[in-house]
Amino acid sequence: MTALNGKTALVTGASRGIGRAIALRLAVDGALVAVHYGNNDEAAKQTVSEIEQVGGRAFPIRAELGKSGDVDTLFAGLKYGLAGRPLDVLVNNAALSSAGSLAETTAETYDRLFAVNVKAPFFIIQRALPMMADGGRIINLSSAATRVAQPELAYAMSKGAINALSRSLAQAVGTRGITVNAVAPGPTVTESSGWMVSTPEVEARLGAANALNRVGLPADIAAVIAFLASDDARWVTGDVLDVTGGCFLGARI
Ligand code: NAP
């Protein structure tokens, strides 16, 4: 018996990176996983194939967020794949990682970032709630950028909105036994952030910012999300979990 046997989960942005690791972990824990993605068909197929190779169950849903009709397309695919089953776990993971610095951000890149990182999770939640089982789980990916200053201002703002959404939503849906939490990773090595391990020096410098003295890996984040999705986390809601290995806790003296 594993923690999510008989459960269903939707992971947005699960074709690559942290989302892929989350989808894989939830499937290993027993869930039927909807692997959502934007454009990268090959990568999404790879996620589904990795899940099937370890005996899990998954299906892909292509829907580019931030475009007209995005949430309709996503939920058409979800309803088809779940075939009448309720949704137990929603992980809002898909996001754009940058609109640039303050000087670089244009009105267009700002609007697109907020459309994908803030508007899409809001309306995905709105559509998901009627098909969610009581006792369900909503987990939203935030970032350490909400507590550690860095140059990507619009990105940090978008993740601040995710933290605010998670707390108020937890209050709104708590009477249904649904928990809502945000998970805030620090620098985590994915296919799109290979620069973090581009040289041993860069990797060591980034790692040294963390109390645990290494950079984060997608599986580190997925493990915490699997916990939040499980019954063991039934009494945790409205929180922002710092999942950074202790990023910038203070000076080492
Ligand atoms: P990533 O490697 O860039 O992957 C992004 C995923 O989201 C891909 O599956 C991508 O689909 C999907 N996606 C992006 N834009 C989309 C859109 N408009 N519509 C639909 N899908 C879209 O991201 P990541 O680094 O794993 O980050 C995952 C989450 O963790 C994000 O919320 C991010 O802000 C947060 N986070 C990451 C880090 C880090 O260091 N990696 C640190 C803190 C927080 P396609 O493959 O089809 O494009």
Side-chain angles (χ1 to χ4, degrees):
M1 173 81 179
T2 51
L4 299 177
N5 268 351
K7 304 280 188 190
T8 63
L10 165 62
V11 182
T12 68
S15 57
R16 297 182 281 116
I18 295 172
R20 175 183 278 174
I22 295 167
L24 184 58
R25 175 60 196 263
L26 298 184
V28 165
D29 284 3
L32 165 64
V33 179
V35 172
H36 163 264
Y37 67 106
N39 287 299
N40 196 332
D41 295 316
E42 277 313 306
K45 268 191 213 158
Q46 178 68 26
T47 303
V48 171
S49 156
E50 283 184 25
I51 288 172
E52 289 171 348
Q53 277 165 27
V54 294
R57 292 172 307 141
F59 59 92
I61 307 173
R62 179 175 175 149
E64 187 173 345
L65 303 176
K67 287 205 159 168
S68 168
D70 52 359
V71 178
D72 291 339
T73 307
L74 170 53
F75 277 83
L78 182 65
K79 283 185 177 149
Y80 181 79
L82 293 185
R85 272 165 290 196
L87 180 66
D88 296 295
V89 180
L90 166 61
V91 183
N92 277 307
N93 166 80
L96 296 175
S97 60
S98 174
S101 66
L102 178 62
E104 290 160 352
T105 303
T106 64
E108 288 71 29
T109 56
Y110 179 98
D111 284 347
R112 177 152 169 70
L113 186 93
F114 271 75
V116 176
N117 292 15
V118 181
K119 184 177 176 188
F122 181 92
F123 286 101
I124 289 170
I125 288 164
Q126 189 188 67
R127 284 288 284 275
L129 277 170
M131 60 189 290
M132 269 193 106
D134 285 0
R137 301 280 187 264
I138 298 175
I139 303 156
N140 301 315
L141 268 288
S142 177
S143 170
T146 57
R147 76 169 167 83
V148 178
Q150 48 95 37
E152 312 271 346
L153 297 193
Y155 174 77
M157 289 164 65
S158 76
K159 293 302 186 178
I162 288 296
N163 292 356
L165 165 68
S166 302
R167 185 167 297 260
S168 291
L169 181 66
Q171 181 84 338
V173 299
T175 51
R176 289 182 53 194
I178 296 173
T179 68
V180 186
N181 292 286
V183 164
T188 307
V189 182
T190 67
E191 300 88 332
S192 55
S193 60
W195 65 268
M196 293 178 187
V197 288
S198 54
T199 68
E201 292 74 25
V202 170
E203 184 176 356
R205 208 171 64 236
L206 265 180
N210 301 334
L212 296 178
N213 202 33
R214 67 167 173 83
V215 292
L217 299 173
D220 296 327
I221 316 305
V224 174
I225 286 173
F227 162 67
L228 288 173
S230 76
D231 187 57
D232 281 348
R234 61 192 173 274
W235 203 235
V236 181
T237 197
D239 204 5
V240 179
L241 278 85
D242 186 282
V243 185
T244 65
C247 183
F248 288 119
L249 290 188
R252 284 182 200 276
I253 50 173

